[in-house]
């Protein structure tokens, strides 16, 4: 089954903890600290694999976790870095934050790779905390936590030209005639259950990539039918070919079909109908003798608007070459770079510590308590016994607004602040 959407959980590796140890060699009675640093956790990296064309694999595996870094060892041994996890996706995959639906990366370059989550950094061993006044520190830094999030993957095919129209108007037949694609073709609605891509080769030209978008019906942009599932694939195309059944073999009016398809495209996303488009009046060979020729009505309505109408027969190939060369000329005047969606959200720019909550409360007269995941995490990174660590703690309290909240609660000098087993006397700067 074709899959062009998936939701997965990703998590980078935790950093290894720093080690606490001391030199104990013979003839070194007062050996100093020699605890090694922890290794960095592995990253989560997405990379394009041109051998893939669907997101089917992500329906079976939904959790991706990179390797943690190893803890530091004795005698200054550095822990091994965790291996990064490389996740392969098809060309054209967009990675979005599942919570906000904002774009993190657009994998539209065949050589592209994107680091989505960095691994936690390795903690420093106790050798880094030795000072003239504390020559035997019994403290080492814990490794940083890995980052985690849910992401939505969306595949938007990369094609220069999109074929749009009602089901059974001949899109798949045209694609099979003009390209190397081999779509399944049958005489019933929604024969095409996923976008098909084909390369059109033209004499004297580089040619272009064309996509057969599954047939749309009224209400598709609101979720009716199957066509709405694939409207996103039109977003990257530069030119649209509206294919209509000019012979009205199913009793529909070609102009009415175009108006309804245009409405569905506009309703799906603003600006999508601003793309240049042409009309392919298909099945002209199926018009019976003496029937009204719909070509005149189509040209009268659309050609004054600059929209060219081509009478064709996808089955016999009549008129198809003229259509293709005209579309090719349109593409020559456009930027040949693929349509790329800009990044809207960078998970690595967000400090995970800043997203954690904390509380500041007055417990009783003269005693205040500060706690919460953000505070607990900060203490895990900080050695309050060292002068440097205590200065970091004070800066953290100020920058996070904790001192301001204590002031608002009426704290006075020499009042007590309790923080997870530590007690401090409060003094204003």
């Amino acid at each position: 089954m074709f899959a062009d959407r998936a939701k997965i959980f990703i998590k980078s590796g935790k950093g290894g903890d720093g080690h606490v140890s001391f030199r104990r060699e013979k003839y070194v009675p007062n050996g100093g600290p020699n605890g090694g640093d922890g290794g960095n956790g592995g990253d989560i990296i997405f990379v394009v694999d041109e051998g893939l064309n669907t997101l089917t694999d992500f329906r079976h595996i939904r959790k991706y976790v990179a390797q943690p870094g190893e803890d530091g060892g004795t005698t200054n041994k550095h822990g091994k870095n965790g291996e990064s996890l490389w996740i392969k996706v098809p060309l054209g995959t967009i990675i979005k934050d599942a919570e906000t639906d904002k774009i993190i990366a657009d994998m539209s370059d065949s050589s592209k790779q994107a680091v989505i989550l960095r691994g936690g950094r390795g903690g420093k061993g106790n050798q880094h905390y030795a000072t003239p006044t504390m020559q035997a520190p019994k403290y080492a830094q814990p490794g940083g936590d890995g980052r985690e999030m849910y992401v939505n993957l969306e595949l938007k095919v990369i094609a220069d030209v999109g074929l749009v129209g009602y089901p059974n108007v001949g899109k798949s037949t045209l694609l099979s005639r003009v390209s190397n694609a081999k779509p399944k073709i049958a005489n019933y609605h929604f024969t095409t259950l996923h976008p098909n891509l084909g390369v059109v080769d033209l004499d004297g030209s580089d040619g272009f990539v064309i996509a057969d978008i599954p047939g749309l019906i009224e209400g598709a942009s609101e979720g009716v039918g199957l066509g709405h599932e694939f409207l996103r694939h039109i977003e990257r195309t530069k030119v649209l070919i509206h294919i209509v059944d000019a012979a009205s073999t199913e009793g529909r009016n070609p102009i009415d079909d175009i108006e309804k398809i245009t409405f569905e495209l506009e309703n799906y996303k603003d600006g999508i109908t601003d793309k240049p488009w042409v009309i392919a009046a298909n099945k002209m060979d199926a018009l019976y003798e003496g029937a009204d020729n719909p070509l005149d009505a189509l040209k009268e309505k659309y050609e004054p608007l600059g929209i060219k109408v081509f009478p064709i027969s996808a089955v016999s190939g009549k008129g198809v070459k003229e259509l293709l060369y005209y579309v090719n000329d349109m593409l020559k005047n456009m930027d040949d770079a693929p349509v790329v969606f800009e990044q809207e959200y960078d998970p690595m720019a967000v400090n995970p510590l800043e997203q954690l909550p904390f509380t500041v409360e007055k417990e009783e007269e003269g005693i205040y308590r500060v706690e919460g995941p953000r505070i607990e995490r900060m203490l895990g990174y900080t050695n309050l016994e060292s002068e440097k660590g205590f200065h970091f703690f004070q800066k953290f309290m100020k920058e996070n607004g904790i001192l301001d909240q204590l002031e608002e609660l009426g704290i006075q000098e020499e009042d007590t602040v309790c923080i997870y087993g530590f007690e401090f006397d409060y003094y204003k700067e």
Side-chain angles (χ1 to χ4, degrees), residues 188-253:
Y188 53 87
H189 288 184
F190 296 116
T191 301
T192 304
L193 295 180
H194 59 82
N196 286 298
L197 290 178
V199 178
V200 176
D201 293 318
L202 297 174
D203 292 337
S205 174
D206 294 334
F208 52 85
V209 178
I210 191 168
D212 166 19
I213 310 299
L216 302 176
I217 60 174
E218 278 186 273
S221 58
E222 299 173 357
V224 177
L226 295 178
H228 77 286
E229 291 287 334
F230 307 104
L231 278 165
R232 69 180 62 87
H233 297 293
I234 299 172
E235 292 183 52
R236 288 198 198 270
T237 58
K238 298 172 183 177
V239 175
L240 297 178
I241 300 178
H242 284 240
I243 302 185
V244 294
D245 176 2
S248 300
T249 57
E250 297 193 354
R252 294 196 309 269
N253 180 281

Side-chain angles (χ1 to χ4, degrees), residues 25 108 163:
E25 299 98 327
S108 59
L163 303 177

Side-chain angles (χ1 to χ4, degrees), residues 56 65 68 86 91 95 119 172 218 275 294-295 309 361-362 397:
T56 301
V65 181
W86 295 71
L91 183 66
I95 304 165
S172 297
E218 278 186 273
K275 296 176 184 290
L295 199 60
V309 179
E361 298 176 341
K362 184 175 181 178
M397 296 276 283

Side-chain angles (χ1 to χ4, degrees), residues 21-335:
S21 61
F22 301 89
R23 295 180 64 188
R24 290 293 181 264
E25 299 98 327
K26 193 175 182 180
Y27 308 117
V28 187
N30 298 312
N34 68 351
D37 299 344
N40 295 327
D43 301 334
I44 293 290
I45 306 173
F46 283 77
V47 61
V48 169
D49 183 345
E50 295 196 63
L52 299 175
N53 53 24
T54 77
L55 299 174
T56 301
D57 291 347
F58 297 100
R59 292 192 169 183
H60 308 296
I61 305 175
R62 297 180 180 269
K63 186 176 182 179
Y64 296 82
V65 181
Q67 192 178 57
E70 289 185 351
D71 295 342
T74 59
T75 62
N76 302 324
K77 289 181 181 177
H78 195 293
K80 183 180 177 183
N81 291 336
E83 291 186 9
S84 295
L85 182 61
W86 295 71
I87 302 176
K88 297 178 179 179
V89 294
L91 183 66
T93 300
I94 289 181
I95 304 165
K96 292 183 175 182
D97 172 38
E99 186 174 345
T100 64
D101 205 39
K102 291 184 176 180
I103 296 172
I104 299 172
D106 183 353
M107 310 297 288
S108 59
D109 184 339
S110 59
S111 62
K112 186 169 185 177
Q113 62 187 49
V115 180
I116 303 301
L117 295 178
R118 292 282 186 193
R121 49 108 187 98
K124 294 179 179 179
N126 68 330
Q127 59 176 308
H128 294 280
Y129 298 98
T131 67
T133 57
M134 185 169 54
Q135 297 182 7
K138 297 179 181 179
Y139 170 86
Q141 188 182 37
D145 288 336
R147 297 192 180 191
E148 60 183 55
M149 65 187 304
Y150 281 92
V151 294
N152 289 328
L153 306 180
E154 290 185 3
L155 178 59
K156 298 179 189 280
V157 299
I158 296 178
D160 302 302
V161 178
L163 303 177
V164 297
Y166 265 72
N168 207 30
V169 295
K171 297 189 302 298
S172 297
T173 304
L174 178 62
L175 182 69
S176 66
R177 169 165 285 280
V178 304
S179 74
N180 56 353
K182 302 297 180 186
K184 294 180 180 179
I185 300 171
N187 189 27
Y188 53 87
H189 288 184
F190 296 116
T191 301
T192 304
L193 295 180
H194 59 82
N196 286 298
L197 290 178
V199 178
V200 176
D201 293 318
L202 297 174
D203 292 337
S205 174
D206 294 334
F208 52 85
V209 178
I210 191 168
D212 166 19
I213 310 299
L216 302 176
I217 60 174
E218 278 186 273
S221 58
E222 299 173 357
V224 177
L226 295 178
H228 77 286
E229 291 287 334
F230 307 104
L231 278 165
R232 69 180 62 87
H233 297 293
I234 299 172
E235 292 183 52
R236 288 198 198 270
T237 58
K238 298 172 183 177
V239 175
L240 297 178
I241 300 178
H242 284 240
I243 302 185
V244 294
D245 176 2
S248 300
T249 57
E250 297 193 354
R252 294 196 309 269
N253 180 281
I255 292 179
D256 188 48
D257 279 5
I258 293 173
E259 296 296 308
K260 288 176 179 176
I261 294 297
T262 302
F263 175 81
E264 294 304 328
L265 295 177
E266 288 176 345
N267 206 33
Y268 169 70
K269 189 169 185 178
D270 289 340
I272 202 166
T273 54
D274 294 338
K275 296 176 184 290
W277 50 288
V278 298
I279 296 170
N282 191 28
K283 304 187 181 181
M284 292 297 293
D285 53 343
L287 283 171
Y288 58 87
E289 195 172 336
D292 293 335
N293 191 335
L295 199 60
D296 295 335
L298 286 167
K299 287 186 174 184
E300 182 180 348
K301 181 172 179 62
Y302 292 105
E303 292 201 339
L305 303 176
I307 301 169
K308 187 76 172 173
V309 179
F310 290 87
I312 69 166
S313 168
V315 172
S316 68
K318 186 175 181 180
V320 170
K321 182 181 291 186
E322 290 80 359
L323 169 67
L324 296 179
Y325 273 100
Y326 182 83
V327 169
N328 191 60
D329 288 340
M330 295 173 71
L331 291 169
K332 285 180 181 179
N333 297 319
M334 299 178 183
D335 184 0

